[in-house]
Amino acid sequence: MHLPPRPSLPGVRRALLLSLLCSTAAWASEPAHAPPPEATSHTGGHWGYGEAVGPAHWGDLPGATTCATGKEESPVELVTANTTPDTHPAPSFNYRPSRVRMVNNGHTVEFEYDAGSTVRVGEKEYQLAQFHFHTPSEHTEDGVHFPLELHLVHKNTSGGVLVVGVFIKAGSVNRALDDAFHHLPWNKGDHSEPKGASINASALLPKNKAFFQYHGSLTTPPCTEGVEWYVMKDPIEMSDAEIASFQRLPHLNPNNRPPQPLNGRTVYLHASTR
Ligand SMILES: [Zn+2]
Protein backbone atom coordinates (compact mmCIF):
# COMPACT_ATOMS: atom_id res chain seq x y z
CA MET A 1 0.00 0.00 0.00
CA HIS A 2 2.86 2.40 -0.60
CA LEU A 3 1.89 5.40 -2.64
CA PRO A 4 3.94 6.17 -5.74
CA PRO A 5 5.30 9.71 -6.08
CA ARG A 6 2.51 11.90 -7.37
CA PRO A 7 2.70 14.65 -9.96
CA SER A 8 2.05 18.01 -8.38
CA LEU A 9 -1.14 19.01 -10.20
CA PRO A 10 -3.29 16.10 -9.03
CA GLY A 11 -1.85 16.67 -5.57
CA VAL A 12 -3.00 20.28 -5.64
CA ARG A 13 -6.41 19.20 -6.93
CA ARG A 14 -6.68 16.66 -4.16
CA ALA A 15 -5.63 19.17 -1.52
CA LEU A 16 -8.27 21.54 -2.85
CA LEU A 17 -10.88 18.80 -2.77
CA LEU A 18 -9.88 17.89 0.77
CA SER A 19 -10.10 21.49 1.91
CA LEU A 20 -13.54 21.80 0.30
CA LEU A 21 -14.69 18.61 1.98
CA CYS A 22 -13.23 19.70 5.27
CA SER A 23 -15.09 23.01 5.09
CA THR A 24 -18.47 21.27 5.15
CA ALA A 25 -20.23 20.35 8.35
CA ALA A 26 -19.89 16.63 7.64
CA TRP A 27 -16.11 16.92 7.75
CA ALA A 28 -15.90 19.32 10.65
CA SER A 29 -12.79 19.07 12.77
CA GLU A 30 -12.49 16.41 15.43
CA PRO A 31 -13.98 17.34 18.79
CA ALA A 32 -11.28 17.58 21.43
CA HIS A 33 -12.74 14.70 23.42
CA ALA A 34 -12.66 12.27 20.51
CA PRO A 35 -9.13 11.32 19.48
CA PRO A 36 -8.58 8.81 16.68
CA PRO A 37 -9.17 5.25 17.89
CA GLU A 38 -5.63 4.22 18.75
CA ALA A 39 -3.81 7.49 18.55
CA THR A 40 -1.95 9.18 21.33
CA SER A 41 -1.31 12.24 19.19
CA HIS A 42 -3.46 14.14 16.75
CA THR A 43 -3.10 14.68 13.03
CA GLY A 44 -4.06 18.05 11.65
CA GLY A 45 -6.12 16.79 8.70
CA HIS A 46 -9.43 15.14 8.11
CA TRP A 47 -9.63 11.49 7.26
CA GLY A 48 -12.02 8.62 6.93
CA TYR A 49 -12.62 5.49 4.93
CA GLY A 50 -14.42 6.89 1.87
CA GLU A 51 -12.92 7.48 -1.57
CA ALA A 52 -11.58 11.02 -1.15
CA VAL A 53 -10.24 10.77 2.41
CA GLY A 54 -9.64 7.02 2.67
CA PRO A 55 -6.56 4.98 3.62
CA ALA A 56 -4.81 5.56 0.26
CA HIS A 57 -4.67 9.30 1.08
CA TRP A 58 -3.78 9.19 4.77
CA GLY A 59 -0.07 9.66 4.04
CA ASP A 60 -0.86 13.12 2.63
CA LEU A 61 -2.25 14.32 5.96
CA PRO A 62 -0.07 16.66 8.02
CA GLY A 63 2.04 14.59 10.42
CA ALA A 64 0.91 11.27 8.93
CA THR A 65 3.54 10.47 6.29
CA THR A 66 4.18 7.18 8.11
CA CYS A 67 0.82 5.97 6.75
CA ALA A 68 2.45 5.95 3.29
CA THR A 69 6.13 5.36 4.04
CA GLY A 70 6.07 3.11 7.13
CA LYS A 71 7.60 -0.35 6.80
CA GLU A 72 6.01 -1.90 9.90
CA GLU A 73 2.38 -0.98 9.45
CA SER A 74 -0.85 -2.59 10.64
CA PRO A 75 -3.08 -4.42 10.00
CA VAL A 76 -1.51 -7.41 8.23
CA GLU A 77 -2.64 -10.72 6.82
CA LEU A 78 -2.13 -13.38 9.51
CA VAL A 79 -1.33 -16.71 7.90
CA THR A 80 -0.98 -19.61 10.30
CA ALA A 81 1.30 -21.59 7.97
CA ASN A 82 3.79 -18.66 7.84
CA THR A 83 4.05 -18.09 11.58
CA THR A 84 7.00 -18.78 13.88
CA PRO A 85 6.31 -20.62 17.15
CA ASP A 86 6.42 -18.07 19.95
CA THR A 87 8.65 -18.46 22.97
CA HIS A 88 7.92 -15.01 24.44
CA PRO A 89 5.83 -14.67 27.60
CA ALA A 90 2.05 -14.64 27.08
CA PRO A 91 0.12 -11.59 28.23
CA SER A 92 -1.42 -11.89 31.65
CA PHE A 93 -4.80 -10.11 31.82
CA ASN A 94 -5.95 -8.36 34.98
CA TYR A 95 -9.22 -6.80 33.89
CA ARG A 96 -11.81 -5.37 36.29
CA PRO A 97 -15.36 -4.26 35.48
CA SER A 98 -15.81 -0.76 34.10
CA ARG A 99 -18.75 1.56 33.59
CA VAL A 100 -19.97 1.58 29.98
CA ARG A 101 -19.06 4.97 28.52
CA MET A 102 -19.26 5.08 24.71
CA VAL A 103 -18.40 7.83 22.26
CA ASN A 104 -18.91 7.88 18.51
CA ASN A 105 -15.80 9.73 17.29
CA GLY A 106 -16.73 9.56 13.61
CA HIS A 107 -14.25 6.73 12.98
CA THR A 108 -15.53 4.08 15.41
CA VAL A 109 -17.45 3.66 18.64
CA GLU A 110 -14.99 3.82 21.49
CA PHE A 111 -15.69 2.39 24.96
CA GLU A 112 -13.67 4.42 27.46
CA TYR A 113 -12.48 2.04 30.15
CA ASP A 114 -12.25 2.90 33.85
CA ALA A 115 -8.69 3.01 35.25
CA GLY A 116 -7.29 -0.02 37.05
CA SER A 117 -7.34 -2.77 34.41
CA THR A 118 -4.00 -3.97 33.14
CA VAL A 119 -2.22 -6.45 30.97
CA ARG A 120 1.28 -7.59 31.86
CA VAL A 121 3.82 -9.02 29.44
CA GLY A 122 7.07 -10.01 31.14
CA GLU A 123 8.15 -6.98 33.16
CA LYS A 124 5.98 -4.50 31.28
CA GLU A 125 2.55 -3.47 32.50
CA TYR A 126 0.02 -1.60 30.37
CA GLN A 127 -3.29 0.05 31.37
CA LEU A 128 -6.43 -0.73 29.37
CA ALA A 129 -7.54 2.71 28.15
CA GLN A 130 -10.34 1.93 25.71
CA PHE A 131 -11.70 -0.57 23.24
CA HIS A 132 -13.42 -0.07 19.89
CA PHE A 133 -14.60 -1.90 16.79
CA HIS A 134 -13.84 -2.13 13.06
CA THR A 135 -16.07 -3.58 10.35
CA PRO A 136 -15.09 -5.69 8.54
CA SER A 137 -12.03 -6.94 10.46
CA GLU A 138 -8.74 -5.17 9.76
CA HIS A 139 -6.50 -8.22 10.16
CA THR A 140 -7.33 -11.32 8.21
CA GLU A 141 -6.75 -14.86 9.47
CA ASP A 142 -5.77 -17.35 6.77
CA GLY A 143 -7.35 -15.10 4.16
CA VAL A 144 -10.62 -14.54 6.00
CA HIS A 145 -12.12 -11.20 7.03
CA PHE A 146 -14.46 -11.42 10.03
CA PRO A 147 -17.54 -9.17 10.27
CA LEU A 148 -16.08 -7.25 13.23
CA GLU A 149 -12.72 -6.84 14.96
CA LEU A 150 -12.38 -5.58 18.52
CA HIS A 151 -9.27 -3.61 19.57
CA LEU A 152 -8.40 -3.39 23.26
CA VAL A 153 -5.94 -0.50 23.50
CA HIS A 154 -3.41 -0.47 26.35
CA LYS A 155 -0.78 2.12 27.22
CA ASN A 156 2.14 2.12 29.63
CA THR A 157 3.74 5.00 31.47
CA SER A 158 6.57 5.36 28.95
CA GLY A 159 4.20 5.83 26.02
CA GLY A 160 4.22 2.23 24.81
CA VAL A 161 1.07 0.95 23.13
CA LEU A 162 -0.11 -2.67 23.18
CA VAL A 163 -3.27 -3.61 21.29
CA VAL A 164 -5.12 -6.89 21.73
CA GLY A 165 -7.20 -7.70 18.66
CA VAL A 166 -10.17 -10.05 18.86
CA PHE A 167 -12.05 -11.29 15.81
CA ILE A 168 -15.83 -11.45 16.07
CA LYS A 169 -17.87 -13.97 14.10
CA ALA A 170 -21.62 -14.37 13.78
CA GLY A 171 -23.08 -16.76 16.34
CA SER A 172 -24.60 -16.58 19.80
CA VAL A 173 -25.76 -13.40 21.52
CA ASN A 174 -22.85 -11.76 23.32
CA ARG A 175 -24.20 -11.09 26.81
CA ALA A 176 -21.30 -8.84 27.77
CA LEU A 177 -21.95 -6.41 24.90
CA ASP A 178 -25.68 -6.82 24.28
CA ASP A 179 -26.91 -3.98 26.49
CA ALA A 180 -24.32 -1.52 25.18
CA PHE A 181 -25.03 -2.46 21.56
CA HIS A 182 -28.69 -1.54 22.12
CA HIS A 183 -27.49 1.96 23.03
CA LEU A 184 -24.70 2.65 20.51
CA PRO A 185 -24.11 6.39 19.96
CA TRP A 186 -25.53 7.05 16.49
CA ASN A 187 -23.79 10.17 15.21
CA LYS A 188 -20.28 11.57 15.33
CA GLY A 189 -19.78 13.32 18.66
CA ASP A 190 -22.61 11.44 20.40
CA HIS A 191 -21.99 9.88 23.79
CA SER A 192 -23.93 7.02 25.37
CA GLU A 193 -23.75 5.88 28.98
CA PRO A 194 -26.55 3.38 29.66
CA LYS A 195 -27.54 3.84 33.28
CA GLY A 196 -25.96 1.28 35.61
CA ALA A 197 -24.33 -0.62 32.75
CA SER A 198 -20.95 -2.20 33.37
CA ILE A 199 -18.70 -4.49 31.40
CA ASN A 200 -15.71 -6.67 32.16
CA ALA A 201 -13.32 -6.84 29.23
CA SER A 202 -12.31 -10.36 30.31
CA ALA A 203 -15.63 -11.47 28.83
CA LEU A 204 -14.45 -10.18 25.44
CA LEU A 205 -11.52 -12.60 25.22
CA PRO A 206 -11.91 -16.07 23.70
CA LYS A 207 -11.53 -19.07 26.03
CA ASN A 208 -8.51 -20.32 24.10
CA LYS A 209 -5.81 -17.67 24.56
CA ALA A 210 -3.69 -18.68 21.54
CA PHE A 211 -2.56 -15.52 19.76
CA PHE A 212 -0.59 -14.07 16.88
CA GLN A 213 2.05 -11.52 17.87
CA TYR A 214 3.96 -9.02 15.73
CA HIS A 215 5.34 -5.48 15.71
CA GLY A 216 3.08 -3.03 13.92
CA SER A 217 1.42 0.35 14.06
CA LEU A 218 -1.76 2.26 14.78
CA THR A 219 -4.26 1.40 12.04
CA THR A 220 -5.51 5.00 11.94
CA PRO A 221 -3.62 8.25 11.17
CA PRO A 222 -0.90 9.06 12.11
CA CYS A 223 -0.15 5.29 11.72
CA THR A 224 2.58 5.52 14.38
CA GLU A 225 4.79 2.42 14.56
CA GLY A 226 6.16 0.65 17.64
CA VAL A 227 2.79 -0.86 18.58
CA GLU A 228 2.85 -4.38 20.06
CA TRP A 229 0.05 -6.42 18.51
CA TYR A 230 -1.51 -9.50 20.09
CA VAL A 231 -4.32 -10.84 17.89
CA MET A 232 -6.28 -13.68 19.43
CA LYS A 233 -6.43 -16.70 17.13
CA ASP A 234 -9.94 -17.77 18.13
CA PRO A 235 -12.85 -15.42 17.47
CA ILE A 236 -15.59 -14.56 19.95
CA GLU A 237 -19.24 -14.53 18.88
CA MET A 238 -21.95 -11.92 18.54
CA SER A 239 -25.43 -12.42 17.12
CA ASP A 240 -26.34 -11.26 13.61
CA ALA A 241 -28.56 -8.60 15.19
CA GLU A 242 -25.75 -7.28 17.41
CA ILE A 243 -23.30 -7.15 14.50
CA ALA A 244 -25.91 -5.39 12.36
CA SER A 245 -26.50 -2.78 15.05
CA PHE A 246 -22.88 -1.65 14.65
CA GLN A 247 -22.77 -2.01 10.88
CA ARG A 248 -25.78 0.24 10.36
CA LEU A 249 -24.23 3.21 12.17
CA PRO A 250 -23.81 6.04 9.64
CA HIS A 251 -20.30 6.47 8.15
CA LEU A 252 -18.75 3.56 10.11
CA ASN A 253 -19.26 0.78 7.56
CA PRO A 254 -16.65 0.12 6.43
CA ASN A 255 -14.09 1.46 8.92
CA ASN A 256 -11.19 -0.90 8.26
CA ARG A 257 -7.73 -0.10 6.95
CA PRO A 258 -6.69 -2.77 4.41
CA PRO A 259 -3.84 -5.19 5.26
CA GLN A 260 -0.35 -3.68 4.86
CA PRO A 261 2.82 -5.42 3.57
CA LEU A 262 4.73 -7.47 6.13
CA ASN A 263 8.09 -6.36 4.69
CA GLY A 264 9.88 -9.34 6.20
CA ARG A 265 8.45 -9.03 9.70
CA THR A 266 8.04 -12.18 11.76
CA VAL A 267 4.56 -13.12 12.90
CA TYR A 268 4.70 -15.34 15.97
CA LEU A 269 2.02 -17.82 16.94
CA HIS A 270 1.67 -18.56 20.63
CA ALA A 271 -0.34 -21.75 20.76
CA SER A 272 -0.68 -22.05 24.53
CA THR A 273 -4.24 -22.36 25.77
CA ARG A 274 -3.48 -20.95 29.22
ZN1 LIG B 1 -8.61 -0.14 15.97
Side-chain angles (χ1 to χ4, degrees):
M1 290 300 285
H2 299 294
L3 297 175
R6 295 168 186 280
S8 59
L9 188 54
V12 169
R13 281 199 190 122
R14 195 173 53 256
L16 189 62
L17 179 62
L18 270 174
S19 70
L20 284 171
L21 284 168
C22 294
S23 68
T24 67
W27 297 94
S29 61
E30 292 267 334
H33 58 268
E38 287 139 6
T40 50
S41 63
H42 229 55
T43 54
H46 308 298
W47 59 274
Y49 296 91
E51 187 71 20
V53 292
H57 302 296
W58 291 352
D60 299 333
L61 294 163
T65 51
T66 306
C67 297
T69 61
K71 299 287 184 240
E72 296 198 335
E73 289 290 291
S74 294
V76 297
E77 294 176 333
L78 300 166
V79 180
T80 305
N82 298 345
T83 55
T84 301
D86 191 11
T87 53
H88 299 96
S92 152
F93 296 96
N94 177 28
Y95 288 165
R96 297 160 188 241
S98 166
R99 291 168 293 167
V100 172
R101 294 175 292 134
M102 296 176 276
V103 59
N104 181 325
N105 61 22
H107 307 301
T108 187
V109 172
E110 187 170 297
F111 287 60
E112 295 162 0
Y113 213 83
D114 290 345
S117 288
T118 58
V119 61
R120 177 177 283 277
V121 183
E123 294 303 305
K124 289 187 177 172
E125 188 173 69
Y126 300 77
Q127 289 273 344
L128 176 58
Q130 48 102 341
F131 63 85
H132 62 265
F133 298 85
H134 297 271
T135 188
S137 65
E138 298 205 298
H139 293 87
T140 58
E141 182 174 347
D142 297 326
V144 174
H145 274 283
F146 289 81
L148 289 177
E149 182 174 337
L150 162 70
H151 287 164
L152 296 141
V153 182
H154 309 75
K155 294 167 187 173
N156 69 10
T157 47
S158 31
V161 178
L162 181 154
V163 184
V164 174
V166 183
F167 294 120
I168 298 174
K169 71 173 183 180
S172 309
V173 169
N174 188 307
R175 300 284 168 209
L177 287 169
D178 197 54
D179 187 22
F181 269 54
H182 278 98
H183 298 89
L184 290 171
W186 189 258
N187 290 307
K188 179 176 180 176
D190 286 354
H191 290 249
S192 177
E193 300 183 13
K195 202 170 179 210
S198 70
I199 191 163
N200 190 326
S202 310
L204 305 179
L205 299 171
K207 277 202 187 76
N208 185 326
K209 300 294 189 292
F211 59 87
F212 299 97
Q213 198 275 321
Y214 76 99
H215 300 292
S217 75
L218 304 179
T219 67
T220 55
C223 307
T224 311
E225 297 187 344
V227 175
E228 297 295 334
W229 276 95
Y230 292 78
V231 180
M232 308 309 291
K233 186 163 178 23
D234 278 12
I236 61 169
E237 294 185 9
M238 295 187 80
S239 69
D240 286 333
E242 289 172 330
I243 291 169
S245 65
F246 184 88
Q247 290 181 330
R248 68 169 178 253
L249 294 172
H251 312 301
L252 297 189
N253 185 8
N255 70 343
N256 69 308
R257 186 188 196 195
Q260 305 295 303
L262 264 179
N263 294 323
R265 279 174 288 174
T266 301
V267 176
Y268 296 95
L269 176 59
H270 197 294
S272 163
T273 57
R274 282 175 297 162

